[in-house]
Amino acid sequence: MSELKINPNRRFLREEKLPHFFCSGCGCGQVLNCFTQALDALDMDTKDMVTIGGVGCTARIPVYLTSDTFHGVHGRTLAWATGVKLTKPEIPIVIFAGDGDLASIGGNHFIHAARRNLDVTVIMVNNLNFAMTGGQVAPTTPEDARTMTTPYGSAEPRFDVCELAMAAGATHVERWTTAQPVQCTAAIKRALQHKGFSLIEIVSQCPTHFGRYALRTGDPLKLIDWIKEYTYTEADEKKKTPDELVGKLKCAEFKRENKPTYAGTNNQI
Ligand SMILES: Cc1ncc(C[n+]2csc(CCOP(=O)(O)OP(=O)(O)O)c2C)c(N)n1
């Protein structure tokens, strides 16, 4: 019998916190996996970094990492990150935030941290709803989608969080999905190497809430198929008409540029 192989990247995990609390089929585990693969590829160690989560399913990801970890209040990750960065500018900081955490309650911290080009990596898991509290509508919920609080479909226009970040001044912005793990890992690697504000948005499945309310299915594979339809790449763009892309999210490396950072390693303040 072949020997059971244990993923060597488990060395980054806080074993005493396992088993994890994510629902079965949730994308947060995939994001955690991509993150540990990026660390391994760059020869970085969780022990040399600070990871921060606010509140929510996504915000639980840092709890499973053997870094110095801060798990606190919904929407305030960037306020803490600013404090840590001002005190210890040389330490890499990685934030795991839900779309609600970053774009709703934490929206103000988000735009100003991007404007200042705070030297942090923000990994936003966009599951298109407030998952931990039961599937309420979020600023990222697609128009017309049913959620727990919009049983007749959301009447609100949706935020494109990558556009928002770029308009505010973020210097590295990418969007991918859990259906593209290779691209997610590569994007996280670029973010960890970037000096300045990086936003990596990962569109992800929430079978328990978004799936149940919006798509009437809790099957993660059907959700991933739906995410593939809801998003498109530069290659898809060439094959489709503009009408076919209306309401969909583009996946790409949108922006990467060098600018002075706020209290980063090329400290400008
Ligand atoms: C200050 C504050 N407001 C509201 C809440 C309630 N709350 C906890 S988790 C959550 C939603 C989380 O959604 P999101 O940030 O998108 O993360 P997800 O669970 O979807 O990963 C809310 C509203 C809270 N814990 N603290």
Side-chain angles (χ1 to χ4, degrees):
M1 230 170 63
S2 68
E3 216 177 290
L4 182 68
K5 285 213 176 90
I6 294 187
N7 182 344
N9 296 342
R10 272 186 83 132
R11 70 187 187 281
F12 299 122
L13 300 186
R14 222 182 270 263
E15 298 274 343
E16 72 275 16
K17 290 286 177 193
L18 299 175
H20 60 75
F21 100 124
F22 303 122
C23 302
S24 104
C26 169
C28 285
Q30 285 169 273
V31 173
L32 178 58
N33 187 16
C34 291
F35 180 68
T36 60
Q37 289 199 37
L39 289 181
D40 185 54
L42 294 174
D43 219 5
M44 287 178 79
D45 197 339
T46 33
K47 301 221 164 60
D48 306 324
M49 63 173 51
V50 170
T51 59
I52 302 180
V55 171
C57 303
T58 309
R60 281 289 261 262
I61 294 176
V63 170
Y64 303 110
L65 289 165
T66 50
S67 50
D68 279 328
T69 295
F70 202 49
H71 182 232
V73 187
H74 199 221
R76 302 292 175 253
T77 54
L78 283 157
W80 300 319
T82 306
V84 175
K85 203 75 207 177
L86 286 168
T87 322
K88 300 238 175 219
E90 69 286 358
I91 294 187
I93 300 179
V94 182
I95 290 167
F96 292 88
D99 43 307
D101 198 329
L102 201 69
S104 186
I105 190 168
N108 240 357
H109 294 287
F110 175 54
I111 55 174
H112 295 290
R115 173 174 66 84
R116 293 173 182 138
N117 198 25
L118 185 72
D119 181 24
V120 293
T121 293
V122 180
I123 301 175
M124 184 187 86
V125 177
N126 181 2
N127 55 22
L128 310 161
N129 72 161
F130 287 95
M132 187 184 252
T133 37
Q136 295 86 356
V137 68
T140 47
T141 303
E143 238 173 297
D144 297 332
R146 278 184 302 259
T147 68
M148 195 251 257
T149 44
T150 57
Y152 302 106
S154 171
E156 300 175 13
R158 156 213 81 179
F159 256 154
D160 180 325
V161 181
C162 287
E163 292 286 346
L164 181 64
M166 287 188 280
T171 48
H172 175 212
V173 178
E174 303 197 31
R175 177 189 294 119
W176 302 101
T177 74
T178 47
Q180 297 158 314
V182 173
Q183 290 87 334
C184 289
T185 303
I188 295 170
K189 274 167 67 183
R190 286 188 281 274
L192 291 170
Q193 291 171 300
H194 179 73
K195 292 275 164 264
F197 192 97
S198 284
L199 170 71
I200 308 299
E201 173 179 346
I202 302 180
V203 182
S204 175
Q205 69 281 9
C206 169
T208 305
H209 299 298
F210 189 78
R212 180 161 59 120
Y213 289 112
L215 307 174
R216 299 278 197 252
T217 176
D219 180 341
L221 294 180
K222 289 193 180 140
L223 282 162
I224 289 178
D225 284 342
W226 179 86
I227 287 174
K228 288 183 190 164
E229 286 296 314
Y230 182 58
T231 56
Y232 63 95
T233 60
E234 269 160 8
D236 299 330
E237 204 171 11
K238 294 191 184 107
K239 289 183 237 148
K240 302 209 172 173
T241 64
D243 279 355
E244 287 176 301
L245 302 176
V246 172
K248 301 192 176 189
L249 290 176
K250 182 168 174 174
C251 292
E253 180 184 336
F254 295 110
K255 179 176 178 185
R256 190 148 48 108
E257 66 179 22
N258 281 325
K259 273 207 171 156
T261 68
Y262 186 77
T265 34
N266 50 343
N267 195 343
Q268 296 295 312
I269 62 164

